[in-house]
Amino acid sequence: MKRLILSTALLVLLVTPFSWGAERIRIGYSSISGSYIGIWVAHDAGLFAREGLEDQIILIPSGSQLAQVTVAGEVEIGSFNGSSAMAAALKGADIKIIGNTVNKMIFSIYVRPEIKTVEGLKGRKLGVTRFGSSTDISARYALRKHNLQPEKEVTILQMGSMSSIMGGLQGGSIEAGVVSPPTLFAVDKLGFKELINITDMNLTFPNPSLIVQGGILRTRPEIVDRFMRAYVRGMHRARTDKELTMKSIARYSKVEDPVFLQKAYDLYIGKVLERAPYIDMPGMQNALDDLAKTVPEARVAKPEQFIDLRFLENLEKGGLLKELYR
């Protein structure tokens, strides 16, 4: 029995990548979206390893579940919508936002072909990933902007993941769904129609944010600094190495169509992702205002209380951005 256990342990060591002397960092992200290109490329290009980090990137396809994992310190970096992070902090969670990889909502509402107008959504079922997720927040915002009342006039259903929303549209369990690129392009090709382009509504919002548990911030700040350096190198590599970036998008999104990949690259690299994970304060306030509808504590909260800016400031002081973009 002891021999079997030893053999199993050796097998795990042989098949599990490990860099002797490197410090482990676990990075969780909450959806298959181009918003995570900086993390994907930094991993695939070995840029975390360059900073002395043994990185493991983990998809946890639920912002609420990833928030719990981040609060528990089971990942060093959690990347999910900032609203969920602030909601957790208002309930006493010891976490801080250290940056935002995107500062606006990047979604569209797609519908089955028989729905021709926004008014046609009345009495229909609309799919989001999870209640409280960025897809849910975006859906409710868009519906209200078009004078439709969520839940009362349009039923909102949790589907669990972006791929499940696409499957629900195909199978008929929902008539509308909130999707983001590159899934959006696949849904479009299947014949479903874009009814509301939420991206064009320019809803500034921390989606996603980079979140770290307080204990890690206090005891291991250097690992956060190294993560941030690798991330901005990843964003620079994404902008300057299109071939690698397209491969990364395909690898993590499971989308192989070169047209879809090109569209996703053009959108995220050309219009959405910033060079560094800067924080848009009006977007943070928008998230708080949305939270205030259901969380009374959010009404008197200020964005600054949820943020630790020192790592962004260290990036600026260290001169890495000037070096990369000179």
Side-chain angles (χ1 to χ4, degrees):
M1 184 65 177
K2 289 182 179 178
R3 183 177 298 173
L4 176 61
I5 293 171
L6 180 59
S7 298
T8 303
L10 287 172
L11 180 61
V12 170
L13 285 173
L14 286 171
V15 300
T16 303
F18 184 80
S19 300
W20 295 105
E23 190 167 4
R24 184 180 68 173
I25 183 170
R26 294 157 298 189
I27 305 160
Y29 64 101
S30 64
S31 68
I32 297 172
S33 164
S35 299
Y36 301 102
I37 284 173
I39 292 172
W40 294 344
V41 171
H43 173 79
D44 290 353
L47 300 175
F48 291 114
R50 179 174 173 177
E51 290 290 339
L53 298 173
E54 181 203 348
D55 60 301
Q56 180 183 11
I57 61 174
I58 309 160
L59 172 63
I60 300 176
S62 165
S64 58
Q65 290 177 7
L66 180 52
Q68 294 171 9
V69 170
T70 305
V71 169
E74 293 173 7
V75 296
E76 280 71 30
I77 308 289
S79 188
F80 52 96
N81 88 69
S83 177
S84 294
M86 288 190 281
L90 287 168
K91 293 176 183 177
D94 183 15
I95 53 175
K96 292 288 186 181
I97 293 171
I98 61 166
N100 294 335
T101 65
V102 176
N103 282 298
K104 64 185 290 188
M105 293 297 201
I106 310 297
F107 296 107
S108 287
I109 294 178
Y110 267 74
V111 297
R112 295 181 63 83
E114 61 267 24
I115 300 175
K116 306 296 183 184
T117 65
V118 176
E119 187 74 11
L121 284 173
K122 283 187 177 180
R124 308 284 190 160
K125 296 184 287 293
L126 185 153
V128 300
T129 53
R130 300 275 182 182
F131 295 146
S133 69
S134 52
T135 56
D136 182 47
I137 293 166
S138 296
R140 294 171 191 272
Y141 174 83
L143 291 174
R144 292 190 187 102
K145 280 290 184 180
H146 286 85
N147 300 313
L148 290 176
Q149 296 184 53
E151 305 295 1
K152 290 184 179 180
E153 295 181 298
V154 181
T155 302
I156 298 178
L157 299 179
Q158 295 187 109
M159 304 301 289
S161 68
M162 200 69 67
S163 59
S164 296
I165 292 174
M166 183 167 70
L169 285 168
Q170 289 178 282
S173 61
I174 54 175
E175 291 89 11
V178 181
V179 289
S180 64
T183 305
L184 180 154
F185 306 130
V187 168
D188 190 88
K189 188 174 182 179
L190 287 169
F192 300 100
K193 303 300 179 184
E194 183 183 66
L195 189 66
I196 303 175
N197 187 313
I198 298 168
T199 303
D200 287 348
M201 296 173 78
N202 287 316
L203 172 57
T204 54
F205 209 90
N207 179 52
S209 296
L210 298 168
I211 297 103
V212 183
Q213 191 241 27
I216 294 169
L217 291 173
R218 290 186 289 273
T219 62
R220 302 171 68 196
E222 75 289 341
I223 200 173
V224 182
D225 274 322
R226 284 189 271 168
F227 166 84
M228 291 289 263
R229 289 196 296 269
Y231 178 84
V232 298
R233 289 186 188 279
M235 276 309 309
H236 179 263
R237 185 68 177 270
R239 293 172 186 275
T240 56
D241 190 341
K242 183 177 179 179
E243 182 180 358
L244 172 64
T245 305
M246 298 271 276
K247 287 180 180 178
S248 291
I249 297 171
R251 176 182 180 185
Y252 297 100
S253 71
K254 308 302 181 186
V255 171
E256 298 180 357
D257 189 310
V259 175
F260 297 167
L261 295 173
Q262 181 66 60
K263 287 182 177 180
Y265 180 90
D266 290 343
L267 173 66
Y268 282 99
I269 299 301
K271 299 180 180 179
V272 174
L273 289 162
E274 299 185 51
R275 294 175 175 180
Y278 295 118
I279 296 173
D280 180 274
M281 296 307 286
M284 296 288 290
Q285 187 61 56
N286 283 343
L288 273 177
D289 292 343
D290 182 78
L291 273 177
K293 297 169 186 173
T294 54
V295 182
E297 296 86 349
R299 296 171 191 162
V300 294
K302 301 294 182 185
E304 292 79 7
Q305 74 190 67
F306 304 97
I307 300 168
D308 189 336
L309 285 174
R310 62 182 147 149
F311 303 101
L312 280 168
E313 291 170 353
N314 289 345
L315 276 179
E316 294 285 358
K317 292 175 185 175
L320 178 58
L321 290 169
K322 288 184 179 179
E323 173 191 328
L324 293 172
Y325 292 99
R326 60 188 173 191

